[in-house]
Amino acid sequence: MASAPSSELIPTPNPSNLTFTVATVAVALTVFLPAAQGKTPTGKPAKAKLKTDTKNKQFSYDFDNTKDNYISFLNQILAAHGLATKYGPVTSSSRFPIKILTPPARAKADAVDVERHSEYKDLIDNAREKKVNKLTVLVHINAIKDASKKRKAGGSGSESDSGSDGQEIDEGSGEDEKGYTAMDRELGRLRGLLEKKYQNPNDSGYTYITNDGERLPLTPIMLAQWCRALYDNTATLSDPPNCQAFDMANRGRLLPGRSPTSNSSSSSTNSPSDSLGHVASIFSTLTTLLGAKNLPSPILRPPTPSPASPAQNTPTKLTRFLHHAQDNLGIPNALECEGQLSHCRYGPDIIPYVSDTAIAKCGFTEGDVIRLKRGAEAWWASPEAKRKRARIASPSRDITHAIRFEKRFVEGGSASYFGSGMEMGYNGRSDEYEWWYYCDKVKELVKVPAGQVPVLAAEYSDAREGEDDF
């Protein structure tokens, strides 16, 4: 038996209190450790993975069925593993769940879940009746981190909490075999609940209906923001987050509980165009009565109406956004990374929610990853994203060179160019890369047919260096 740690965390036995049960506690803590980094088939370092490991500690503890004894026991677990300073102290509002095995049970499946004092009390009373002298405790490092985060954030952890639904998930959790973290899986689950609740009956869209009956179409970004708010416990399935995307004041409507900004006597069914027409009619009457030359001509701008349906991502939106990123966000190589973004199907609608590592693999530096993700969210919510445009042409490129070509390298990566068409020719470096072009008919990139090569604009004359034309 290991020597008992400091008496600050272990209650001193009280022989006069017969409810105490002194027992040896073996604590098995599951943690994450870096796995050996392998290599991809091309010889590049593979993505780092984490593996689980178990740390075992043992100590003696004087058990009682009181709440203070329960909290002290959780603090003792932290102290035994040297985690008290980093994740302690545990309080009644920041408990972490544990599993306890009492003899003769040995299998983990037989362990009893202890998440609140009532469960702890029942287990201790049962152990005292059976005169148990050794307990095995199973605990996960993520559960300890979650409780610590809740304590630092001032979150509630009252005894009325129901199960683990209210617990947070550590964003640094290890990935599963598909590369998804615990946070990714939880956000996916929450997204499914929202889509099920707000699915339109007649199409593939989603609509939130306020308490006063107003309809608010939900865009992919709005759904993602709502999921994150649910994950952070700042919203519920019935009440959206209080953020700019859900602020209906600009649409002439209000979310429940917000102060109205318009006259309460106005009809909620009037459209912006009806209101503007009414103002114009009044001004016309005044002009007739007083004389047009005595009144300045007003500039009437209708308020921005809410979209009839959520903005849909299209192949051209990525090109337009990358032009915006290169011209306005200070990302000089944005367009050069278009091929890799398109290959991964990363559009401006989901770029803010793709991991930094995945974006960086498309050819961006760490700083540009942050600029790109922030800029994508703002651009997608702007009128520019909803504007229908046939094509974005670079100011320095002749309009006759309006076909987009993409050079896809065999070992990964790509680069975009523009040209006027194709001609008979042979790509003598086909073992290094292939040529693709954007087909307006099918609205996607298509491989250049064998025996043909792109006719590129003069500014890209070196793009086909080393190829042997007929």
Side-chain angles (χ1 to χ4, degrees):
M1 180 185 301
S3 61
S6 171
S7 60
E8 289 185 53
L9 295 175
I10 303 179
T12 304
N14 183 359
S16 64
N17 192 335
L18 299 181
T19 63
F20 278 66
T21 300
V22 180
T24 300
V25 181
V27 182
L29 174 67
T30 301
V31 297
F32 289 110
L33 295 177
Q37 189 175 21
K39 292 186 177 181
T40 64
T42 60
K44 297 180 180 179
K47 185 177 181 180
K49 296 288 185 180
L50 297 176
K51 65 177 181 179
T52 58
D53 193 16
T54 302
K55 303 293 184 181
N56 297 296
K57 298 293 181 180
Q58 186 171 289
F59 59 87
S60 295
Y61 191 74
D62 233 341
F63 287 97
D64 191 6
N65 59 13
T66 65
K67 183 180 293 187
D68 288 342
N69 188 268
Y70 170 42
I71 299 302
S72 178
F73 181 57
L74 296 178
N75 277 301
Q76 179 62 61
I77 292 174
L78 295 184
H81 282 276
L83 303 175
T85 301
K86 187 173 183 179
Y87 298 115
V90 178
T91 65
S92 59
S93 62
S94 62
R95 309 173 310 277
F96 54 86
I98 58 178
K99 291 178 179 287
I100 298 182
L101 275 169
T102 57
R106 292 185 178 182
K108 292 183 179 180
D110 298 328
V112 177
D113 290 298
V114 177
E115 300 181 1
R116 51 182 57 80
H117 171 247
S118 59
E119 297 169 343
Y120 178 82
K121 179 179 180 299
D122 292 342
L123 187 140
I124 296 305
D125 289 342
N126 185 56
R128 184 174 62 248
E129 291 178 3
K130 295 181 178 180
K131 298 182 180 180
V132 172
N133 59 9
K134 184 172 183 179
L135 300 176
T136 300
V137 177
L138 310 177
V139 61
H140 200 290
I141 187 63
N142 283 351
I144 295 174
K145 291 180 179 180
D146 292 341
S148 177
K149 287 168 59 179
K150 183 180 293 185
R151 176 180 60 82
K152 293 176 181 179
S156 172
S158 64
E159 292 293 337
S160 62
D161 288 348
S162 56
S164 60
D165 290 341
Q167 295 175 4
E168 297 177 9
I169 297 177
D170 182 22
E171 297 186 20
S173 300
E175 297 178 348
D176 60 16
E177 63 277 4
K178 295 183 179 180
Y180 296 112
T181 65
M183 184 182 72
D184 293 332
R185 295 190 293 272
E186 178 64 8
L187 289 175
R189 184 184 72 85
L190 294 172
R191 178 66 173 259
L193 294 177
L194 285 176
E195 291 181 349
K196 182 178 180 180
K197 185 177 180 68
Y198 297 107
Q199 170 73 56
N200 293 341
N202 300 322
D203 57 44
S204 60
Y206 306 93
T207 303
Y208 168 70
I209 302 177
T210 66
N211 291 342
D212 57 2
E214 297 292 345
R215 301 175 64 85
L216 176 62
L218 298 174
T219 66
I221 284 185
M222 294 168 71
L223 285 171
Q225 289 179 336
W226 199 337
C227 286
R228 183 65 199 209
L230 288 171
Y231 177 82
D232 293 333
N233 292 324
T234 59
T236 66
L237 286 175
S238 300
D239 297 315
N242 185 10
C243 62
Q244 184 177 3
F246 288 89
D247 189 348
M248 301 173 68
N250 292 333
R251 300 178 172 90
R253 297 187 292 268
L254 299 171
L255 282 174
R258 296 192 180 175
S259 301
T261 57
S262 61
N263 192 330
S264 61
S265 63
S266 300
S267 171
S268 62
T269 60
N270 287 342
S271 66
S273 59
D274 293 338
S275 301
L276 180 60
H278 184 58
V279 173
S281 176
I282 294 175
F283 182 81
S284 177
T285 303
L286 291 174
T287 302
T288 303
L289 295 174
L290 302 178
K293 63 181 180 180
N294 295 325
L295 290 176
S297 185
I299 300 176
L300 301 177
R301 294 188 177 92
T304 303
S306 60
S309 60
Q312 298 295 321
N313 186 45
T314 62
T316 59
K317 279 188 171 59
L318 176 61
T319 304
R320 288 159 52 192
F321 167 65
L322 292 178
H323 273 279
H324 168 77
Q326 190 160 299
D327 296 340
N328 303 310
L329 301 181
I331 306 178
N333 67 325
L335 283 169
E336 296 176 11
C337 303
E338 180 179 4
Q340 192 64 21
L341 291 171
S342 178
H343 175 72
C344 297
R345 299 184 63 82
Y346 294 156
D349 57 329
I350 66 169
I351 284 177
Y353 309 103
V354 179
S355 68
D356 291 356
T357 303
I359 295 294
K361 287 182 178 180
C362 294
F364 295 94
T365 63
E366 293 182 0
D368 286 345
V369 167
I370 298 175
R371 297 184 184 95
L372 189 77
K373 295 178 73 172
R374 289 182 176 177
E377 183 169 4
W379 187 87
W380 187 256
S382 70
E384 179 67 19
K386 301 174 180 63
R387 184 183 307 164
K388 293 184 178 180
R389 299 180 62 179
R391 190 182 305 277
I392 291 290
S394 171
S396 62
R397 185 172 66 252
D398 193 295
I399 59 174
T400 59
H401 298 117
I403 300 177
R404 182 163 69 90
F405 290 93
E406 185 175 286
K407 180 193 288 186
R408 294 187 177 180
F409 296 93
V410 175
E411 294 186 355
S414 61
S416 292
Y417 305 91
F418 291 85
S420 58
M422 289 176 279
E423 63 183 3
M424 297 298 294
Y426 171 71
N427 179 10
R429 301 176 67 182
S430 58
D431 58 329
E432 300 178 23
Y433 57 81
E434 296 177 336
W435 284 106
W436 293 63
Y437 74 99
Y438 184 77
C439 178
D440 285 327
K441 185 175 182 179
V442 298
K443 303 301 182 185
E444 63 181 24
L445 288 166
V446 178
K447 189 175 180 180
V448 171
Q452 297 189 40
V453 293
V455 179
L456 302 179
E459 58 193 283
Y460 305 124
S461 57
D462 59 344
R464 295 186 52 226
E465 183 177 353
E467 296 181 8
D468 298 321
D469 296 340
F470 286 144

